[in-house]
Amino acid sequence: MAKLITKRYLTWFILSILLSILGPFVFRLNFLDGSRRIIWLLGIIYGGFSLYGGYRFRQFGLKFWGIFIFPVTFSAVNLFFKLVLGGALVSSNYAYFFAIFYVVLGLFTFMNNGGSSDLEKQIPVDDGFKGVK
């Protein structure tokens, strides 16, 4: 079981790094301007990835800290490119704002009960528990 959990965290970590690096490169191929690139890549695609991540971590019963993997790797990759190569993949202002946004989205889906409530299956008791033994 520990190998399976470690494999899922490692897979998510590698996928997060690849998405953080390849996403901005693909979207810089001049088919979207700056504002549309921010909306589609940072907002919709990466936001959906964070929502999906929170859902998957809850579904597999993984630890809470797993939802921080993508936002931290996204910020770290952007900081690495800024410090080492001199140019960030995404503007620093956007990178840190959206990293917080991704944590919030991951928390929403991780904390969601997903409609697994037992309330619909319970038998209503109209007059309380007087006659129930």
Side-chain angles (χ1 to χ4, degrees), residues 40-102:
W40 279 100
L41 179 67
L42 298 179
I44 296 175
I45 294 174
Y46 285 176
F49 185 70
S50 296
L51 288 171
Y52 178 72
Y55 171 75
R56 294 299 283 187
F57 278 102
R58 180 178 173 93
Q59 182 183 20
F60 287 119
L62 299 176
K63 301 286 184 193
F64 170 75
W65 59 266
I67 61 171
F68 293 99
I69 292 174
F70 175 63
V72 169
T73 56
F74 173 71
S75 298
V77 164
N78 195 45
L79 183 63
F80 173 77
F81 271 85
K82 182 179 179 183
L83 294 177
V84 174
L85 301 176
L89 292 173
V90 178
S91 173
S92 297
N93 296 335
Y94 292 128
Y96 302 124
F97 168 75
F98 276 103
I100 294 168
F101 178 66
Y102 302 146

